Amino acid sequence: MAETGATASRNRRTLILLLAPLTILLGVFFLIPLGIMVVYSFLEPGLYGGVEWNWYPYNYGRLIGWPLNDYEVFDPIYLKIFLNSLQIALMTVAGTLLLSYPAAFWVASMKGPRKSLVLFLVALPFFANMLVRIYAWLLLLRPTGFLSTLLESTGLIIEPLDLLFTNFSVIVGMVYVLTPFMFLPIYANVEKLDYSLVRASRDLGATNVQTLWRIILPLTAPGIIGGSVIVFIPALGNFIVPSLLGGSKVQMTGNLIERSFLQSRDWPFGAALALLIMAFVVVLFSLQFSRQSKSEGQGTR
């Protein structure tokens, strides 16, 4: 027993030593900046930018309606921007899922070097700067760009398409940038899929739709959920794609936070907005994972 206890203690110390660098890294580059944001969100905005070290909870009142004082007024435009950001993020998740799900099965069916090549091509955009890739979409979607010119030459349209600076162009850019983040988790689940269950369902008389709905989707659901989370979070807070493809006509929370810090220099308001968005995402996915854990627990009983 004493030897077992000594072994367990030694393993625990080894685990602590292995986790110490990651813990320090997270503490320095995540927890400390997050703490600074929390503090700044309750400080008074400086007259010429920055902060005044006075207790000032009214930054949140401008966003959620309480608390307020004589200088802060609730403005529903922020709620409208958040709802628009939520809509674009959800449509981005749907677009990446529609592209990635069938593609994952197609790639999983390949063999040897061909599969490795396709997986490399999926990861290839990570080797190019995102700004360069987004600027390419500017050239494609502008009224005199390739897409509009092609459609005009085929006679499908009479006037050039005005696709830039719309929700559509932002969603296209988001889907293009974030598709690999959806594809890789789904592909990992599809690669492990037990096809004997698929064959068994067909032997028992299930149609292709029934097999997809009752066998394939539940088995690949962890990849779908994981990919959706990985895509949804950066899509909700993204500011580069909306700035370039949306211009001033498409406002998202990421643009609002960026302008609060860099242009208006209202750091407390930007910090409050960022923390509210973060809190919304944490609560949303905590509820989802709690529901998933309960359903898995009921399934094992």
Side-chain angles (χ1 to χ4, degrees):
M1 293 290 291
E3 185 177 348
T4 304
T7 303
S9 178
R10 186 165 56 252
N11 291 338
R12 192 179 303 110
R13 287 196 299 270
T14 303
L15 181 61
I16 291 173
L17 288 174
L18 291 173
L19 293 178
L22 179 61
T23 304
I24 296 172
L25 186 69
L26 286 175
V28 172
F29 294 103
F30 178 74
L31 295 179
I32 292 177
L34 181 61
I36 294 173
M37 292 276 285
V38 172
V39 173
Y40 273 29
S41 70
F42 289 100
L43 295 179
E44 183 179 354
L47 183 61
Y48 301 104
V51 297
E52 299 287 344
W53 290 87
N54 302 317
W55 173 254
Y56 196 84
Y58 309 109
N59 300 300
Y60 291 93
R62 206 190 311 178
L63 297 168
I64 60 177
W66 182 88
L68 293 170
N69 62 3
D70 295 336
Y71 305 101
E72 302 291 352
V73 179
F74 170 69
D75 193 341
I77 188 63
Y78 300 123
L79 178 60
K80 182 179 179 181
I81 291 173
F82 172 74
L83 293 177
N84 185 55
S85 302
L86 186 62
Q87 178 187 14
I88 291 176
L90 291 174
M91 294 185 71
T92 300
V93 171
T96 55
L97 180 60
L98 289 174
L99 289 174
S100 301
Y101 199 73
F105 283 91
W106 176 62
V107 176
S109 65
M110 297 179 181
K111 303 294 182 183
R114 187 182 176 192
K115 178 188 289 188
S116 301
L117 175 62
V118 173
L119 290 175
F120 171 75
L121 293 176
V122 170
L124 188 61
F126 292 118
F127 295 92
N129 188 283
M130 188 171 71
L131 284 174
V132 175
R133 291 184 281 145
I134 297 303
Y135 270 113
W137 278 105
L138 281 171
L139 299 177
L140 289 172
L141 296 176
R142 65 184 182 179
T144 57
F146 173 78
L147 182 60
S148 184
T149 303
L150 177 65
L151 293 176
E152 279 189 280
S153 64
T154 56
L156 295 176
I157 59 173
I158 300 175
E159 297 180 354
L161 290 174
D162 190 14
L163 297 176
L164 270 181
F165 311 131
T166 62
N167 281 359
F168 172 78
S169 62
V170 173
I171 292 170
V172 168
M174 292 273 209
V175 169
Y176 169 70
V177 170
L178 298 174
T179 291
F181 296 99
M182 177 68 80
F183 172 83
L184 294 174
I186 293 178
Y187 171 76
N189 270 255
V190 171
E191 187 75 8
K192 299 184 296 183
L193 186 64
D194 187 357
Y195 283 94
S196 64
L197 298 175
V198 176
R199 290 190 292 269
S201 70
R202 290 174 177 170
D203 291 340
L204 292 172
T207 63
N208 290 334
V209 175
Q210 290 173 326
T211 300
L212 174 65
W213 186 254
R214 297 187 178 183
I215 304 296
I216 297 176
L217 279 177
L219 291 177
T220 56
I224 295 174
I225 295 173
S228 299
V229 171
I230 296 172
V231 169
F232 178 81
I233 293 176
L236 186 63
N238 196 294
F239 69 92
I240 297 177
V241 176
S243 294
L244 295 177
L245 298 181
S248 60
K249 294 183 179 179
V250 180
Q251 297 298 314
M252 293 185 65
T253 53
N255 306 109
L256 191 58
I257 294 170
E258 182 248 349
R259 280 195 295 270
S260 297
F261 277 101
L262 300 181
Q263 295 182 16
S264 61
R265 289 178 54 80
D266 191 350
W267 297 355
F269 177 70
L273 180 59
L275 289 173
L276 284 177
I277 298 301
M278 188 181 302
F280 171 80
V281 172
V282 169
V283 170
L284 180 66
F285 287 110
S286 295
L287 293 174
Q288 172 60 35
F289 289 133
S290 175
R291 179 182 176 187
Q292 183 181 356
S293 300
K294 288 182 180 178
S295 63
E296 290 176 355
Q298 294 173 354
T300 55
R301 285 199 291 267

